Amino acid sequence: MSRPFILDPLFRNLKALSGVGPRTLKHFERLINDERIFDLLAHKPIELIDRSYTPTIAEAEAGRLATIKVQVLKHTPAVRRNLPYRVRCKDDTGTLDLVFFRAYQEYMMTQYPIGEGLIVSGKIDVYRDHPQIVHPELIGDGTGEAPKIEPVYPLTQGISHKVLLKALRSALGFAPKLPEWLDPEYKKKNKWPDWNKALETLHAPQSQEDLDPNTSVRSRLAYDECLANQLTIALMRHRQKKLHGISYTTDGPLKTKLLSVLPFSLTGAQIRTLKEIDTDISSKSRMMRLLQGDVGSGKTIVAALSMMNALDSGMQAAMMAPTEILARQHYDSLKTLFEPLGIRMICLTGRNKGKERDILTGQIKNGAAQIIIGTHALFQDSIEFQNLGFAVIDEQHRFGVDQRLKLSNKGKGVDVLVMTATPIPRTLALTSYGDLDVSVLDEKPPGRKPIDTLLFTTEKIQEMIEGLKRQIEKGARIYWVCPLVEESNILDVTAAEERFQILESIFGEKVGLIHGRMKPDEKDTIMQKFMGGDLSILVATTVIEVGVNVPEATIMVIESAERFGLAQLHQLRGRVGRGGDKSYCFLLYKSPLSQTARERLSIMRETEDGFLISEKDLELRGSGDVLGTKQSGVPEFKFVDLAIHGTLLAAARDDAKLIIQKDVKLTTPRGEALRTLLYLYEGDQAIQYLQGG
Ligand code: ADP
Ligand code: MG
């Protein structure tokens, strides 16, 4: 199916709009991140200009925004560069000066022709007892009525308020009347307007209330987008379930053996989760399951036991981690479990090159390797598995949805377990993991001690270092995390290097440095030294954020903590408190803190509950930032703000489920309209799922 023709005008290039030429086009693209008319229509007003005060010149009060009908009398160009250009105007009651800096006479004459009637608008100033407006807006030619209230939009360099308004008015003219895809009852209950009307009203706010994200207009537009998103996910899910999965045993010899040699007993949550996984695995349809569990909740062993099912059925299992360090760490810790059972496993990362890599990939292909641990290297096209049956993806938020699919496509109907330690607020989970079933490890293994979290301003750093000295004498091991500087790896590293030098001058060779630009084996060496206790302080960039396990580490110092997301702080803090000893987390910040930053950091002090933290983070920062946007797989919405429209999203999910039940091919009249909706928001992508289904 190709694009419904009714959408054509919305998909046209902005060039089609009046006032948009090749030069402004570039600026527009920067402003709205796209170039279609629909994208411009989704650019929402954020403010109003109230031009309803329309006095005569004599009545106009200083300081007020006035809109006045005038006639141009004369131009007085600037006599020197820094002096203004003046255009004197009049009405029946007096005269008014329009004042411009850096204006060109030729242009001014075309805009304000002498003798012409005009409507100008701006704040009234009084200069030497005479009223004037500095840089007025030229509203109209004096014949028509000026709009009394004007929307104001976010702008960018090269696009003025006026140019944007003009383009938007022109864009509204392109908006077609689309068929209704909403359930009529639901629409009526919410008193929502038609799509077309909603767009028009969106761009013609009459009062401050109209800018609220919960107006019927904005809710409807947001709901549409939620529905498109959830329907796409539902279609994708429907299709994946239909793909033939592998049904295999869940109580084979290897699994039984592994269970019997575990050095601890499983938590209730681990047992429950394993049951959920077993049910999926023994069924014919393919498993797509998300395992959410806070740091330290014991996800790895759940993955390990699940992988045994595949091996017991004569298939391979793979586990993919986002970094080299993590992959190696999983490999090392799983090896101690698996090797005694006679399981053959390998680790493949970007580090393996040439001949070594050929040997490893050979073992993957001929089945000599039963368990394959690795990084992104695993889903490269050149990697072939003999018979991959089960894939685990650790710390999913570091991978995109397509990477998830890529790995699972390495076999036929591969069962997939996605694991994440980033607690995801429910609303976000619906959008980025909506195609997955969810298991939650909401119980930690026994014996964990709470971590004390303390806030320090950077001015107190010396005091804190004194305290660390005493701890180091007692044998403490400390992580010291330096923040990402402006998203730049290089600056990032510089900050860490500087801190390293300072600490080295105090603590000597007990300090180590690790960052993302080091070679893998350099990183390994440092990590080994820290694990073994040769190093007391490990200065790091955020490379240690995920997964690293050094139970002896008890102190986490995070510099410029106010720059991190809460979820990230929570992850980092989770690196300590893993052994039997009491642990601490020091959050260093630069004062003064903004109100939000203060609130965020105090949440860290108050709770260790990752879910609570992520909900708060969503509330305080909005969805975009919670998972670190781009890599998170959370779609970029036009009308939806997940922090606000969560209930709409949940309703859309239920709506989508019903639609799939009743009309999976979308052939009823409502189904036809929904196709238009899907195409509008999801483009070809969603339509593909339709065809496949
Ligand atoms: P995460 O969920 O953060 O990946 P891990 O799987 O690394 O957590 O587990 C953290 C630690 O807890 C590991 O040292 C692991 O051996 C231990 N562990 C896991 N499950 C249990 C359990 N049921 N009882 C005791 N310790 C456990
Ligand atoms: Mg883990």
Side-chain angles (χ1 to χ4, degrees), residues 264-267 270 294-300 445 448 549 578:
F264 44 71
S265 45
L266 297 171
T267 65
Q270 283 170 325
D294 217 337
V295 265
S297 59
K299 293 184 292 294
T300 318
R448 293 280 155 78
N549 193 20
R578 307 190 136 224

Side-chain angles (χ1 to χ4, degrees), residues 231-252:
L231 191 54
T232 307
I233 286 172
L235 285 167
M236 187 161 111
R237 193 182 155 94
H238 177 79
R239 206 175 111 174
Q240 260 168 8
K241 289 259 161 178
K242 269 179 48 181
L243 281 184
H244 205 59
I246 309 153
S247 149
Y248 36 72
T249 56
T250 54
D251 48 7

Side-chain angles (χ1 to χ4, degrees), residues 38-263:
F38 181 54
D39 302 305
L40 180 62
L41 286 169
H43 196 58
K44 302 181 288 291
I46 44 166
E47 272 298 331
L48 298 172
I49 301 180
D50 184 347
R51 299 196 194 278
S52 56
Y53 178 55
T54 51
T56 61
I57 292 178
E59 288 164 351
E61 288 171 39
R64 283 189 75 176
L65 177 71
T67 302
I68 309 179
K69 274 191 191 187
V70 296
Q71 197 182 12
V72 179
L73 283 178
K74 70 166 183 181
H75 285 230
T76 314
V79 285
R80 262 187 291 123
R81 254 176 76 98
N82 292 329
L83 292 178
Y85 188 116
R86 293 179 175 272
V87 177
R88 175 146 299 186
C89 305
K90 66 154 193 158
D91 69 2
D92 296 340
T93 67
T95 60
L96 170 76
D97 276 355
L98 308 179
V99 179
F100 301 85
F101 289 89
R102 275 186 276 156
Y104 294 99
Q105 184 165 15
E106 220 173 301
Y107 176 75
M108 294 303 290
M109 290 306 266
T110 64
Q111 295 292 298
Y112 298 90
I114 290 169
E116 200 97 340
L118 296 172
I119 300 175
V120 294
S121 181
K123 202 178 86 182
I124 304 288
D125 284 336
V126 177
Y127 180 72
R128 294 191 181 153
D129 286 339
H130 189 255
Q132 67 175 29
I133 299 178
V134 179
H135 286 195
E137 293 279 341
L138 189 52
I139 302 289
D141 59 8
T143 51
E145 274 299 304
K148 292 214 160 49
I149 297 189
E150 251 175 46
V152 178
Y153 298 87
L155 297 173
T156 184
Q157 210 209 333
I159 302 216
S160 67
H161 173 66
K162 234 168 84 180
V163 167
L164 188 64
L165 271 192
K166 188 166 176 197
L168 253 167
R169 289 209 184 104
S170 161
L172 279 168
F174 280 79
K177 198 162 167 17
L178 297 180
E180 185 56 84
W181 48 71
L182 293 180
D183 172 58
E185 290 296 310
Y186 192 62
K187 181 182 170 200
K188 203 167 138 199
K189 196 182 101 196
N190 285 293
K191 302 199 174 74
W192 284 344
D194 287 348
W195 180 81
N196 200 281
K197 179 80 187 156
L199 261 195
E200 257 168 43
T201 319
L202 175 75
H203 293 292
Q206 293 306 305
S207 67
Q208 205 61 35
E209 286 91 77
D210 289 344
L211 301 173
D212 188 288
N214 291 315
T215 59
S216 62
V217 164
R218 292 193 182 212
S219 299
R220 166 174 185 151
L221 293 169
Y223 185 80
D224 288 345
E225 195 170 21
C226 288
L227 185 57
N229 170 267
Q230 290 299 302
L231 191 54
T232 307
I233 286 172
L235 285 167
M236 187 161 111
R237 193 182 155 94
H238 177 79
R239 206 175 111 174
Q240 260 168 8
K241 289 259 161 178
K242 269 179 48 181
L243 281 184
H244 205 59
I246 309 153
S247 149
Y248 36 72
T249 56
T250 54
D251 48 7
L254 283 173
K255 183 157 173 210
T256 316
K257 190 88 177 285
L258 182 55
L259 271 171
S260 72
V261 299
L262 281 187

Side-chain angles (χ1 to χ4, degrees), residues 385-640:
F385 288 80
Q386 192 197 37
N387 55 1
L388 181 64
F390 191 81
V392 181
I393 304 181
D394 196 19
E395 307 297 353
Q396 160 75 27
H397 71 289
R398 292 298 187 96
F399 296 106
V401 176
D402 18 316
Q403 289 171 315
R404 182 200 298 163
L405 289 174
K406 254 191 181 159
L407 183 62
S408 57
N409 287 339
K410 289 280 180 192
K412 255 197 180 151
V414 177
D415 287 316
V416 178
L417 180 67
V418 164
M419 305 201 294
T420 178
T422 310
I424 304 156
R426 223 177 73 86
T427 43
L428 286 193
L430 277 181
T431 57
S432 52
Y433 298 112
D435 58 325
L436 306 176
D437 295 305
V438 181
S439 294
V440 184
L441 285 182
D442 48 8
E443 180 188 349
K444 291 208 177 169
R448 293 280 155 78
K449 299 214 172 99
I451 303 167
D452 267 356
T453 300
L454 304 157
L455 307 187
F456 280 93
T457 71
T458 27
E459 283 132 44
K460 295 247 172 91
I461 197 166
Q462 278 314 327
E463 274 172 53
M464 198 197 69
I465 289 179
E466 288 304 316
L468 294 185
K469 271 187 193 158
R470 288 190 294 276
Q471 294 298 321
I472 287 178
E473 276 157 24
K474 286 194 245 161
R477 246 168 278 171
I478 301 164
Y479 291 107
W480 187 302
V481 178
C482 301
L484 213 70
V485 183
E486 305 274 335
E487 307 279 319
S488 143
N489 262 325
I490 300 174
L491 290 176
D492 184 11
V493 169
T494 316
E497 273 166 352
E498 279 168 13
R499 178 56 63 204
F500 168 70
Q501 275 159 17
I502 293 171
L503 290 172
E504 200 186 28
S505 72
I506 303 171
F507 297 104
E509 55 192 27
K510 303 230 93 185
V511 188
L513 172 67
I514 190 166
H515 59 69
R517 288 165 73 89
M518 283 162 64
K519 293 214 183 72
D521 29 333
E522 287 175 332
K523 282 195 242 176
D524 272 4
T525 315
I526 298 283
M527 272 324 283
Q528 291 302 341
K529 280 188 170 173
F530 185 61
M531 285 180 188
D534 297 336
L535 295 175
S536 300
I537 303 186
L538 183 65
V539 179
T541 52
T542 45
V543 287
I544 58 152
E545 177 193 347
V546 282
V548 175
N549 193 20
V550 182
E552 296 82 8
T554 54
I555 297 177
M556 168 64 66
V557 179
I558 304 175
E559 258 189 82
S560 301
E562 74 275 12
R563 292 219 227 131
F564 288 92
L566 287 188
Q568 216 179 358
L569 288 176
H570 178 67
Q571 282 283 318
L572 288 167
R573 181 169 62 184
R575 300 304 113 213
V576 297
R578 307 190 136 224
D581 292 329
K582 169 117 190 102
S583 294
Y584 298 89
C585 175
F586 298 117
L587 301 179
L588 291 174
Y589 64 90
K590 290 209 182 70
S591 52
L593 280 178
S594 71
Q595 176 68 21
T596 316
R598 186 181 311 279
E599 273 181 58
R600 293 175 59 232
L601 290 185
S602 48
I603 289 164
M604 291 304 295
R605 199 171 43 192
E606 282 155 22
T607 180
E608 275 188 66
D609 179 336
F611 280 94
L612 196 67
I613 289 173
S614 73
E615 297 283 353
K616 285 282 182 198
D617 207 15
L618 178 61
E619 227 171 80
L620 290 172
R621 289 203 302 168
S623 59
D625 294 320
V626 172
L627 299 176
T629 31
K630 294 286 185 274
Q631 13 167 274
S632 65
V634 177
E636 280 175 49
F637 287 116
K638 293 179 187 303
F639 295 103
V640 179

